[in-house]
Amino acid sequence: MGSSSQIQSDMIEDGADAPKGWRSFAGHLFAPIKITWGQFFDLLVPLRHSAHIRRHAASVIISRIQLVAALFAVMVPLWSVIDWYVFPWPQWAQMTSLRVGSGVIFFLLSWPWPMSKTRLQADSMLMGMLLVPPVFYIMSIEITADLHVTGSALLVTKLYALMPNIVLAGLAIFPLTAFEVAVFSLPAFAFAIIGLLMGGETLSLDQHGPMLWLMVLVMGVAMFSGMSQLHYITALVNRAMIDPLTSAYTRRSGGEALDLQFRLAAMKNTSMAVAFFDLDKFKSINDAFGHEEGDKALRTLADKLREGLRRGDVLVRWGGEEFVAILTDTTPEGAKIMLERLRTAGFGLRPDGAAMTASIGVAERIADKATDWPQLIELADQRMYEAKRGGRDRAVLPGGEVMVFGDKEIY
C-alpha cells in the first residue's frame, strides 16, 4: 500500500524539524489542541494524508452531502410557491422547471447509492452539489432578464444573488483542508462575477469590492471550520488506529490493512508476506526491572523494526510483545533479506545491557497457498512458536527454512 508508510509516519510527532517560530504560531493558533507544525501543514494541503484519514473524511463528507441534499431536494421545489406569487407567466413556470430540475439533482445526490466512499467520490459529489446553486442563480438571471422587477420580485431576485455566498458558507460543514476549501470556492466567485456581468453591471472596486470582501471573509470562516473538523477527525482516527505506546498500528487497524493488502495481492497475483515477531523473554524484563522498562523495551523494538522496514511496509502491534510486519510485494527470499537487515542492525538492548532478540515466523501468500489473510497470520504465528521452541533468536520461513541469527546459521 503506497500510502501505508504515510499512515504510520503521520502518527509520529513531526514538528521538530519546523522552525521554532512556525511551531509556536501553529501551537497558539490551535490552542489548546497543541497541534504540531506537521499537523498544521496537513490541515493546509492534503499532500500527506494517509489512506485511513482520506477514507474517514470521505465518509463524513458523503454523509453530510446526502443529508443536505435530502433537505434541499424537498425545500428547493417547495420554494416554487414564492415564484408563483412574485413572477408572471411564463417566468414562474420556467423558474418552477428550474427548481424541479435542481430538486432532482439533489435527490440523486441524497440517494444511498452503493459506493466504496472514496475521496474521489466525495469530492465529485461535493462539487456537484456546490455547482447547483450558482448555476441556478445564473439561469434565473437569464429567465428574469426581460422583467422589470419591483417589490417582492426584486427582493426574491436579490436573494438569488446571495447563492454564491450560501455556497461558501455551506463549505463550513465539511472536513476540508484550506487548499480544498479554496478550490471548491472558485466556482462561487466565478459565478458571482458572471452574474454581475450578465446583469449589465461594470465591475468596479468601490461598488463590488465590499461584496467580494464579504465572500472572502465567509470563505475564511469556512476554511477555519473545515480545518478544525479535519483535525478532530484525524485525532480520532489516529487514536483508534495507533497503539499509543509504540506508534504501531493497533490489531484492529492492522487487520484492516491486512485485508486490503491481501485482496490487492490476490487481485494482481503478486507476493505478500507477513513476519510475526515475538520479543524473547519479555516477561523477565517486567519481573526483574519493572513495567516501565518493559514498555521502554517494546518502544525500542518497534522503533528498530520501523527503521528496517521499507516505506510501503506496515508495522502492527498484534498484542503484548508481539508485532506483525506486513510486507508488500515480498517473496520468501525478500523476507529473508529483510530479516537479515533487521537482525544485523539489532533490536536494541535489554535493561541489563544484553541484546534483545526475537522469535520470528514468516508466511507468504503464494508459497503457502493462503486463501485469506487470517490463514497467513495463523501460519506465521505457528512458525513463530516453532522458532521459540527451537531456541529463540531465529526465524522460521515457508518450506521449513530456519534462520538462526545468533550463530548466523541458515538451514
Side-chain angles (χ1 to χ4, degrees), residues 30-306:
F30 286 88
I33 300 175
K34 302 301 182 185
I35 190 171
T36 67
W37 165 252
Q39 292 168 334
F40 180 60
F41 178 81
D42 290 341
L43 297 179
L44 294 177
V45 292
L47 298 178
R48 306 189 307 170
H49 291 181
S50 69
H52 281 67
I53 298 300
R54 289 196 299 270
R55 186 170 65 251
H56 282 273
S59 179
V60 172
I61 290 171
I62 290 174
S63 65
R64 292 182 181 178
I65 289 172
Q66 290 174 330
L67 174 60
V68 173
L71 294 174
F72 279 22
V74 176
M75 294 173 59
V76 170
L78 285 179
W79 189 267
S80 296
V81 175
I82 305 297
D83 293 332
W84 299 342
Y85 175 73
V86 300
F87 295 125
W89 170 273
Q91 281 77 13
W92 68 259
Q94 293 172 330
M95 292 297 296
T96 298
S97 299
L98 187 57
R99 288 189 175 281
V100 171
S102 300
V104 170
I105 295 175
F106 284 127
F107 175 78
L108 293 175
L109 287 171
S110 67
W111 189 259
W113 305 101
M115 63 179 75
S116 55
K117 294 189 175 182
T118 64
R119 191 54 198 264
L120 179 60
Q121 292 172 334
D123 289 345
S124 300
M125 291 177 65
L126 181 56
M127 182 59 79
M129 187 180 73
L130 294 176
L131 284 175
V132 175
V135 169
F136 180 96
Y137 163 55
I138 295 299
M139 296 185 71
S140 71
I141 294 176
E142 188 68 26
I143 291 172
T144 61
D146 297 331
L147 294 179
H148 179 66
V149 292
T150 58
S152 299
L154 180 60
L155 173 62
V156 171
T157 56
K158 287 186 177 294
L159 289 176
Y160 290 161
L162 295 176
M163 285 187 175
N165 293 75
I166 295 174
V167 168
L168 294 177
L171 285 171
I173 70 172
F174 299 104
L176 300 168
T177 63
F179 176 78
E180 289 168 330
V181 171
V183 170
F184 284 117
S185 298
L186 290 177
F189 283 93
F191 280 106
I193 294 174
I194 292 172
L196 293 174
L197 296 176
M198 290 180 65
E201 299 188 39
T202 301
L203 294 180
S204 62
L205 185 62
D206 58 338
Q207 185 176 355
H208 302 108
M211 180 199 74
L212 295 175
W213 177 245
L214 177 61
M215 293 181 68
V216 171
L217 289 178
V218 174
M219 183 183 69
V221 172
M223 279 185 179
F224 189 82
S225 176
M227 291 165 67
S228 298
Q229 293 179 69
L230 182 59
H231 179 67
Y232 183 67
I233 288 176
T234 301
L236 289 179
V237 171
N238 289 352
R239 190 173 293 116
M241 286 174 47
I242 301 301
D243 172 51
L245 177 64
T246 63
S247 296
Y249 274 118
T250 61
R251 181 166 179 166
R252 178 176 178 179
S253 57
E256 294 178 2
L258 276 164
D259 180 66
L260 175 61
Q261 288 292 351
F262 192 92
R263 285 190 286 111
L264 289 174
M267 181 174 61
K268 298 177 182 179
N269 195 30
T270 56
S271 300
M272 173 194 168
V274 295
F276 208 116
F277 296 83
D278 184 278
L279 186 59
D280 291 332
K281 299 181 180 179
F282 174 70
K283 186 176 183 299
S284 65
I285 297 178
N286 283 332
D287 292 344
F289 302 99
H291 289 281
E292 185 174 342
E293 288 295 330
D295 290 346
K296 182 178 178 181
L298 292 176
R299 284 194 297 267
T300 300
L301 175 61
D303 291 341
K304 293 293 185 180
L305 291 176
R306 260 191 299 269

